[in-house]
Amino acid sequence: MKDFETKDYKVFDLFNNQWGLVTAGTLSNCNACTVSWGSLGTIWNGPHGGRPIVTVYINPSRFTWEFLKENDTFTVSFFPEKYRDVLNYLGTVSGKTEDKIRHSKLTVKEISGTVGYEEAELTFVCHKLYQGEFQRDGLADEINHGIYQNWDPHWMFVGEIIEAIDRR
């Protein structure tokens, strides 16, 4: 069992209140976006039962979606509250139009072949196990007719946690 599998993460607080930053690519070519839809859990047998995973939900309209789709690894990072403005910026500006990571002034670093941040207090490094688009016929009516009225579905990215860096 890996050390991070015994920690008590406040999953609902992490995604709902703290937000995460999902990043994929390499130091020379990466992109990131803020996520508030996500989960931690287990799925598919691993050496100690289910594999520890992070799941994030990204719309294809986000430039980061392309990086997640094309790369086998990604990170999901969480930051102290003082970085709220940076996360808001990274969630509203497109990496297609500017180098938003450089403008954010976050310090990027290579972690296990992908990209993380010096300022993050918690980072999950993930190996992608699954990616797929939500299907309309699988969604509850209130989601179909509420969130997806105009049918612009998110994709689910499931990554096995291969490393957790916890500096909290």
Side-chain angles (χ1 to χ4, degrees):
M1 183 170 287
K2 296 179 181 177
D3 182 49
F4 63 82
E5 292 181 73
T6 63
K7 297 217 176 182
D8 186 19
Y9 299 108
K10 296 181 178 179
V11 180
F12 300 109
D13 183 61
L14 285 174
F15 284 100
N16 274 338
N17 300 319
Q18 198 171 348
W19 305 341
L21 186 63
V22 62
T23 307
T26 63
L27 281 178
S28 62
N29 186 28
C30 65
N31 202 51
C33 70
T34 304
V35 292
S36 61
W37 290 4
S39 61
L40 295 173
T42 58
I43 195 170
W44 301 310
N45 290 344
H48 304 288
R51 295 174 191 221
I53 59 161
V54 174
T55 304
V56 292
Y57 307 90
I58 307 295
N59 194 281
S61 65
R62 303 301 305 259
F63 189 45
T64 306
W65 174 84
E66 295 175 27
F67 287 82
L68 284 164
K69 194 165 181 296
E70 298 303 320
N71 286 276
D72 290 333
T73 56
F74 62 92
T75 58
V76 179
S77 303
F78 297 93
F79 297 80
E81 182 62 30
K82 69 182 182 180
Y83 291 97
R84 176 67 70 168
D85 289 344
V86 172
L87 292 173
N88 189 50
Y89 167 75
L90 290 168
T92 56
V93 172
S94 175
K96 281 184 182 178
T97 59
E98 66 179 76
D99 186 349
K100 67 181 187 175
I101 295 174
R102 185 170 55 85
H103 290 154
S104 76
K105 306 234 188 296
L106 290 177
T107 309
V108 294
K109 64 181 186 176
E110 190 272 333
I111 303 175
S112 299
T114 190
V115 179
Y117 304 91
E118 199 63 46
E119 298 82 359
E121 61 183 8
L122 176 61
T123 299
F124 295 107
V125 182
C126 303
H127 169 71
K128 186 172 60 179
L129 298 175
Y130 175 79
Q131 64 185 21
E133 180 183 73
F134 285 162
Q135 300 300 307
R136 185 176 277 275
D137 62 354
L139 293 169
D141 285 344
E142 67 265 19
I143 304 300
N144 261 325
H145 301 300
I147 294 172
Y148 294 117
Q149 296 177 55
N150 298 321
W151 193 241
D152 185 19
H154 285 72
W155 277 51
M156 176 190 314
F157 292 90
V158 177
E160 179 176 11
I161 301 169
I162 56 174
E163 182 180 358
I165 302 158
D166 191 345
R167 294 189 284 220
R168 295 174 296 158

